[in-house]
Amino acid sequence: MKYLRVELRFPPDLMHPIHRLIDESDAIERDVLVQGTILDEPDDTFLFYVEGDIDVYTDALRSVDRIREFDVTRIDETGHYVFLTQRRDAVDDAMFGPLQRTGVVVVPPVDFRSNGIARLTIVGDHGPLRDALAELPDRIDTTVLRIGEYDWRQHLFDPALTDRQFDALAAAVESGYYESPRAATVEEVAERIGASPSTASEHLRKAESAVMTAFMELRDVP
């Protein structure tokens, strides 16, 4: 069973107003769709994880007519869950429609970023995956970042890592950085990912912290 890590880039006029907020404001550091329910009804329900100034985020929510209602739960100083219901529009149908088919599953989260970018993982058989990508609107640029055999255990860690942290961690493992004795230096890892040694070191530290935290939380996973 294959998985694709996919990047979608939306032109400004097709971006959701909240996605546009992420693009234009420094107040929101991260906006992640954790889970959603899309039924054959006018309204959809979503759970988001948001890092940043929640007041800026909720003010933006109130300004969007299609958002029916929302509820905010604080996690810590900068992190919040936002549970909301919104009316579906033509852009939603164009984006999610091709992914709602037999043989394809979207594995949360969907990570919304600046420059109109959304990153997500889809799992399925070769034919349905190919057809799903082919039917996405032409104006939404689609890039396949990674292809591989899906492993649920591995993907438990994906929500905790940015793509650059994942790339740094993968490069470190492949180069022997974590072997004992160590077979590669942080400079070699940096060269593999096209970054400075200090940036690569920072990516590795954050990735290691995120992975170990997620690993400890797996004790509660059956």
Side-chain angles (χ1 to χ4, degrees):
M1 179 173 52
K2 296 292 184 183
Y3 84 91
L4 305 179
R5 181 66 172 164
V6 178
E7 178 179 282
L8 306 179
R9 186 185 295 267
F10 294 81
D13 60 309
L14 292 186
M15 291 170 62
H16 190 284
I18 303 302
H19 197 177
R20 194 174 297 116
L21 170 70
I22 300 166
D23 196 42
E24 297 174 351
S25 174
D26 294 331
I28 307 302
E29 298 175 11
R30 197 173 189 194
D31 186 30
V32 180
L33 173 58
V34 178
Q35 190 57 271
T37 301
I38 301 175
L39 303 173
D40 189 19
E41 298 177 2
D43 294 344
D44 299 320
T45 302
F46 299 110
L47 176 65
F48 286 88
Y49 169 71
V50 180
E51 283 185 1
D53 189 331
I54 196 63
D55 292 332
V56 172
Y57 193 88
T58 54
D59 284 346
L61 291 178
R62 293 187 184 97
S63 71
V64 181
D65 291 339
R66 54 188 292 233
I67 294 179
R68 304 294 201 184
E69 57 186 359
F70 65 88
D71 183 63
V72 176
T73 300
R74 178 178 174 178
I75 304 170
D76 52 35
E77 290 298 323
T78 61
H80 298 76
Y81 285 123
V82 178
F83 186 78
L84 65 83
T85 300
Q86 72 172 16
R87 184 177 66 252
R88 191 179 314 137
D89 69 1
V91 175
D92 294 332
D93 287 335
M95 174 180 172
F96 292 111
L99 303 178
Q100 294 177 298
R101 64 175 65 229
T102 301
V104 172
V105 173
V106 176
V107 180
V110 178
D111 195 357
F112 291 94
R113 304 185 174 202
S114 59
N115 299 317
I117 288 173
R119 289 181 176 173
L120 64 153
T121 299
I122 53 178
V123 173
D125 297 323
H126 174 74
L129 287 173
R130 178 198 59 216
D131 294 342
L133 294 184
E135 292 180 20
L136 288 170
D138 291 338
R139 295 189 60 212
I140 299 177
D141 291 336
T142 304
T143 303
V144 177
L145 302 174
R146 292 197 297 273
I147 302 174
E149 290 294 328
Y150 183 72
D151 185 336
W152 173 77
R153 297 164 300 177
Q154 172 187 341
H155 283 266
L156 288 172
F157 297 100
D158 274 2
L161 300 179
T162 68
D163 284 289
R164 287 297 283 167
Q165 290 167 4
F166 182 94
D167 291 342
L169 206 58
V173 171
E174 291 168 1
S175 65
Y177 181 79
Y178 290 112
E179 292 181 8
S180 182
R182 184 163 285 173
T185 65
V186 71
E187 287 78 12
E188 291 173 284
V189 174
E191 184 176 355
R192 281 173 174 254
I193 65 172
S196 68
S198 61
T199 298
S201 179
E202 181 180 3
H203 285 325
L204 288 176
R205 285 197 304 272
K206 290 182 177 180
E208 290 160 5
S209 175
V211 167
M212 294 310 297
T213 299
F215 176 77
M216 295 304 294
E217 291 173 353
L218 286 181
R219 292 179 301 173
D220 297 325
V221 177

